[in-house]
Amino acid sequence: MDNRIQKKDLICELPDELLLKILASLPSKDVKIKSILQLKLNPCYEKPIIKRLVNNAVARSLRELRLKMVYNSFELPESLFSCPQLETLKLETLSLVDVPPNADLTCLKHLHLLSVKFSCDESVKTLLSICPRLEELVVRRSSYTNVKIFAINVPTLRSLSIDNSSGKSRPKGVHGFLINAPSLRCFSIRDSFSNYLRFRNMPKLVKSTVNVVSDIMIR
């Protein structure tokens, strides 16, 4: 008979809601967060708790953050946009407010925007403009995404993936993508909704996959 006592990680067995409250109640200096943090949230979580947790993560020199909200408006703390050590940011099904004027994502190289709602088209440009080292961008649009012209003007971008094939509706009028990426090497797009696509300045492109089924204007 094996009399050895098997140790259990009781913390990991706690419900997510309780774990969030525990982490959010601790001072930043007492919270030890590894370089990878993934949060999958639903509307029952209290916004102050979520903000406190993200603030704690940023204070601990977070390098990667994955944040998913189940179709509910959530305003990310401004501290997230002033996190120069952040290298990977993956946002899914959440709503973003305008990027603050003191934003700084200097080290961000990988950005995933999956069904993200912006306040306006200009907010997309502002977000990308504070990422001077961005190399990979993944965009997935849906009926939740309210941007009309998704302008991607990133000189350092090397890989771009666009999926605009899910959902039932899009904004009225002209809507689609405007892409200017002189360093782009890998490009893929799957689009069933856009009526405007403009690609320009891609001299270094070596691999592309284009799957477009729509009545669109391509330039």
Side-chain angles (χ1 to χ4, degrees), residues 124-170:
V124 177
K125 297 179 183 179
T126 304
L127 175 60
L128 295 179
S129 70
I130 64 171
C131 308
R133 298 181 182 178
L134 190 64
E135 296 181 359
E136 180 203 21
L137 177 61
V138 177
V139 177
R140 186 177 72 207
R141 297 191 65 169
S142 67
S143 55
Y144 182 70
T145 308
N146 61 334
V147 176
K148 291 186 177 181
I149 300 297
F150 206 108
I152 301 172
N153 184 8
V154 185
T156 58
L157 197 64
R158 297 173 61 86
S159 175
L160 174 61
S161 176
I162 296 173
D163 186 352
N164 187 26
S165 61
S166 62
K168 297 181 180 180
S169 63
R170 292 296 185 272

Side-chain angles (χ1 to χ4, degrees), residues 79-99:
S79 61
L80 179 63
F81 295 103
S82 299
C83 186
Q85 71 276 7
L86 191 64
E87 296 178 358
T88 300
L89 179 60
K90 299 181 180 181
L91 305 176
E92 184 173 359
T93 56
L94 51 76
S95 178
L96 289 181
V97 296
D98 291 333
V99 177

